[in-house]
């Protein structure tokens, strides 16, 4: 956190000594608020036994701002067991440094070690406080051909688009604040996916995720630069600052 910028990086386990209970498949996921607006959010829980399909969906890795590999979950789950989740991911922090101008945290999880071609997902988040941006790098360490889906889940009510220059623009029309996401290391076009988010039990609202789906061999890495822009800031100036670094 610095000034009006906040990022949460989830490196916690599934909970209850590995039994999970209320846990979700959200290892290495992030949440981001900037310029007084929530942009990247956790989807919430929505409901429990009242709708087992929705319960299963809201706790899935595809509903969180992290990486999905080969369409499988980070931790094993079953729709008919809404309060049990595996502990295969077991995320851990392997590096953490905080300073006046830069924060850096590195974490990884092993939830994809059970694949035929095992992988470790390592995520590095760097926060440049003075320049006001975050850099998120995902490394998929292992071998074999895989499908990697890199996602960010946005709050309801935001205007989201894939721009012609490939950037993702997320805008809070009420405040005029925006978040730009610049991907590098990925040659595919991003796609927007229809989602829901829930702030209160039993209530949900339409929201959107952005997804880069890449079919490639491991090891593989991708980088995402998250640039918040206040309503009164010049976008070109902000982006030029990144080029100068």
């Amino acid at each position: 956190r610095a000034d009006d910028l906040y990022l949460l990086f989830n490196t916690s386990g599934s909970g209850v000594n590995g039994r999970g209970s209320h846990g979700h498949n959200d290892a290495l996921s992030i949440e981001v608020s900037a310029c007084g607006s929530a942009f990247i959010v956790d989807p919430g829980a929505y409901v429990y036994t009242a709708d087992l399909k929705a319960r299963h969906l809201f706790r899935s890795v595809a509903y969180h701002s992290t990486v999905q590999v080969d369409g499988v979950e980070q931790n094993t789950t079953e729709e008919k067991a809404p309060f049990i989740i595996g502990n295969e991911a077991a995320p851990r922090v392997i590096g953490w440094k905080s300073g006046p101008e830069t924060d850096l945290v590195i974490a990884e999880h092993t939830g994809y070690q059970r694949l035929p071609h095992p992988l470790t997902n390592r995520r590095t988040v760097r926060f440049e406080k003075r320049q006001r941006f975050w850099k998120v790098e995902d490394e998929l360490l292992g071998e074999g051909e895989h499908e990697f889906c890199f996602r960010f889940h946005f709050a309801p009510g935001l205007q989201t688009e894939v721009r012609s220059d490939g950037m993702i623009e997320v805008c809070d029309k009420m405040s005029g604040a925006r978040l730009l996401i610049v991907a590098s290391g990925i040659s595919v076009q991003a796609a927007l996916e229809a989602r829901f988010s829930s702030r209160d039990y039993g209530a949900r609202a339409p929201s959107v995720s952005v997804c880069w789906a890449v079919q490639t061999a491991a090891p593989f890495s991708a980088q995402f630069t998250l640039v918040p822009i206040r309503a009164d800031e010049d976008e070109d100036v902000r982006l030029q600052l990144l080029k100068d670094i």
Side-chain angles (χ1 to χ4, degrees):
R1 180 194 296 273
D3 300 323
D4 61 349
L5 304 180
Y6 168 85
L7 182 145
L8 182 146
F9 185 26
N10 183 10
T11 63
S12 62
S14 59
V16 197
N17 294 318
R19 188 173 182 270
S21 187
H22 285 267
H24 288 192
N25 275 316
D26 55 2
L28 309 191
S29 66
I30 64 170
E31 299 175 44
V32 170
S33 293
C35 314
S37 299
F39 286 102
I40 299 174
V41 300
D42 183 273
Y46 182 43
V47 292
Y48 299 144
T49 56
D51 187 336
L52 291 180
K53 183 176 181 180
R55 164 66 173 163
H56 193 60
L57 186 65
F58 269 75
R59 66 175 179 165
S60 69
V61 66
Y63 252 55
H64 292 87
S65 300
T66 185
V67 186
Q68 185 177 30
V69 179
D70 296 341
V72 305
E73 297 293 335
Q74 297 169 331
N75 300 292
T76 52
T77 55
E78 294 183 18
E79 185 175 309
K80 295 181 180 180
F83 293 102
I84 296 177
I85 185 171
N87 195 36
E88 292 89 352
R92 66 188 186 103
V93 175
I94 59 177
W96 163 238
K97 183 178 181 180
S98 181
E101 293 195 359
T102 304
D103 288 345
L104 179 71
V105 60
I106 306 169
E108 64 184 22
H109 79 78
T110 56
Y112 300 125
Q113 285 289 322
R114 69 187 192 278
L115 295 175
H117 294 290
L119 292 172
T120 295
N121 183 188
R122 180 176 297 165
R123 172 167 277 188
T124 300
V125 178
R126 180 164 59 94
F127 179 23
E128 294 295 345
K129 302 173 186 179
R130 185 168 61 86
Q131 289 91 355
R132 294 176 55 85
F133 73 88
W134 294 276
K135 177 82 76 173
V136 178
E137 179 178 16
D138 280 304
E139 299 174 87
L140 287 307
L141 307 174
E143 59 183 22
E145 189 83 8
H146 299 274
E147 181 188 50
F148 302 125
C149 290
F150 304 88
R151 289 189 177 90
F152 296 101
H153 186 105
F154 302 120
L158 302 176
Q159 179 177 302
T160 305
E161 65 172 324
V162 182
R163 303 193 333 185
S164 59
D165 58 10
M167 294 185 194
I168 308 305
E169 180 178 297
V170 190
C171 181
D172 183 341
K173 301 295 285 187
M174 296 293 292
S175 68
R178 291 179 291 153
L179 181 72
L180 298 182
I181 302 180
V182 184
S184 55
I186 299 180
S187 58
V188 301
Q189 180 83 346
L192 300 182
E193 301 175 326
R195 291 286 187 267
F196 288 99
S197 293
S198 175
R199 295 182 62 182
D200 301 293
Y201 184 82
R204 66 180 184 178
S207 60
V208 170
S209 282
V210 63
C211 176
W212 291 264
V214 182
Q215 190 79 34
T216 189
F220 182 78
S221 66
Q223 301 79 39
F224 305 90
T225 305
L226 282 54
V227 185
I229 302 178
R230 298 190 186 106
D232 59 353
E233 285 186 302
D234 186 293
E235 175 185 318
D236 292 335
V237 173
R238 292 285 288 126
L239 294 179
Q240 184 60 48
L241 175 66
L242 300 181
K243 294 178 183 179
D244 294 339
I245 296 174

